[in-house]
Amino acid sequence: MKQNLAFVFPGQGSQQVGMLGELAAQHGVIQETFKQASDALGYDLWDLTQSGPEAELNSTDKTQPALLTAGVALWRLWCAEGGARPAQMSGHSLGEYTALVCAGALSLADGVRLVKLRGEAMQQAVPAGEGAMAAVLGLDDDKVEAACAAAAQGDVVAAVNYNSPGQVVIAGSAAAVGRAVELCKEAGAKRALELPVSVPSHCALMQPAADKLAEALEAIEVIMPQCAVVQNVSAAASTSVEEIKQNLVAQLYSPVLWTDCVNTMVAAGAETMIECGPGKVLSGLNKRIQRSLSVASISDAAGFAKALEL
């Protein structure tokens, strides 16, 4: 286990039709992993990721299993190619589930079924059009929080993703998010724009989804992970299975403390963070949070080969 190495797993938004196609053509473990996930889900997940349609892949109940499986497939390939084992893992929102599967706390079959249910429960919790999310750039966290408090007016709106210094995502009821966006602009935000999502994740409106998730988690075997998994709601590695489960449930209606998660891993010795999933979203955030970090993404052949040499 390499003490200065951490693996991080992206959340929703990193999916794209054709992801991992290049690596899958060279390494059978990618499609083997997707076949296992497909068997658990009852539909061809690999075909969906490669052929679309894009709108279906972007439906949250399909996106979540697809991204989890992509991360696990890349992790398995990393291990098969002799990559160093990290001392720590973390994942952004959905990515936390990927981290737990890769760390041995959850089976792949249970993981994909769980996040499928999570996606369905999130979609059902708030009718389409009633919730919203927005990204606020270039405004201090406390000013974003103050704008949300002033905009609420009896509705729900809150800071839900602390992605990096100066980048916060807010979520809640559509009207309140709209008011908060205007207040953030008035407070001096460089940009404040609503995001094209159908679910207001990580705010109080997700409580009904959390209740369903808690019930599902009771029926699934979770064991302690083989390395530290830093969880979003606490920015710490849990010390019991019960705590892991409680944090997964709370994550649905609580902020993702990504900046704190990265700082926790750095404080524990992480100097290199490898993004294990499609895209490079987390690599960009992580570098902004800690400029001293070495970051890498392994979602294509060139990036994978480069990361193996780190």
Side-chain angles (χ1 to χ4, degrees):
M1 199 175 279
K2 202 170 179 182
Q3 292 303 317
N4 66 351
L5 178 64
F7 263 57
V8 293
F9 300 87
Q12 286 187 223
S14 290
Q15 74 278 3
Q16 57 185 35
V17 174
M19 60 186 184
L20 308 195
E22 179 194 19
L23 283 168
Q26 301 167 17
H27 305 282
V29 68
I30 303 285
Q31 286 194 54
E32 286 167 23
T33 303
F34 272 86
K35 184 181 185 311
Q36 290 173 16
S38 299
D39 290 345
L41 293 165
Y43 64 88
D44 191 336
L45 187 60
W46 179 249
D47 182 62
L48 174 61
T49 62
Q50 297 309 296
S51 306
E54 188 176 13
E56 187 178 350
L57 180 61
N58 288 344
S59 175
T60 190
D61 61 312
K62 298 290 202 305
T63 305
Q64 296 197 31
L67 282 173
L68 184 147
T69 306
V72 173
L74 286 170
W75 168 248
R76 288 179 174 179
L77 178 59
W78 177 262
C79 293
E81 294 295 304
R85 300 296 195 275
Q88 301 179 88
M89 292 183 175
S90 191
H92 190 288
S93 186
L94 161 76
E96 188 169 289
Y97 291 79
T98 318
L100 287 166
V101 173
C102 294
L106 269 173
S107 72
L108 173 62
D110 282 342
V112 291
R113 285 192 290 254
L114 190 61
V115 298
K116 175 179 180 284
L117 177 145
R118 180 179 182 264
E120 291 168 346
M122 290 168 71
Q123 202 77 63
Q124 291 160 6
V126 181
E130 291 189 14
M133 298 182 79
V136 181
L137 307 179
L139 195 62
D140 290 344
D141 294 354
D142 57 351
K143 290 183 179 178
V144 176
E145 291 160 3
C148 288
Q153 299 176 21
D155 291 333
V156 170
V157 61
V160 296
N161 290 356
Y162 294 88
N163 285 334
S164 68
Q167 187 183 131
V168 177
V169 175
I170 63 174
S173 61
V177 169
R179 292 192 293 268
V181 162
E182 293 310 310
L183 289 174
C184 286
K185 288 176 181 175
E186 289 172 19
K190 287 181 184 173
R191 292 179 74 193
L193 64 161
E194 291 201 24
L195 300 171
V197 297
S198 58
V199 172
S201 303
H202 305 296
C203 73
L205 297 176
M206 287 292 111
Q207 186 65 55
D211 295 341
K212 290 180 182 175
L213 181 68
E215 192 179 325
L217 271 167
E218 285 310 306
I220 285 177
E221 184 185 19
V222 179
I223 62 174
M224 284 303 290
Q226 293 157 5
C227 69
V229 175
V230 176
Q231 292 193 270
N232 291 168
V233 301
S234 60
S238 295
T239 56
S240 71
V241 167
E242 199 49 46
E243 190 181 359
I244 289 170
K245 289 183 176 182
Q246 287 170 358
N247 284 345
L248 287 175
V249 173
Q251 192 219 67
L252 271 179
Y253 56 81
S254 305
V256 171
L257 306 178
W258 188 249
T259 297
D260 290 346
C261 287
V262 171
N263 287 333
T264 293
M265 289 186 283
V266 169
E271 296 172 354
T272 298
M273 286 189 186
I274 292 178
E275 184 166 2
C276 190
K280 300 177 181 178
V281 170
L282 294 184
S283 296
L285 294 178
N286 297 349
K287 198 74 175 169
R288 280 202 287 277
I289 295 165
Q290 287 278 354
R291 294 195 181 279
S292 63
L293 275 173
S294 172
V295 299
S297 167
I298 58 171
S299 57
D300 59 42
F304 196 97
K306 191 175 174 184
L308 280 173
E309 296 170 6
L310 288 174

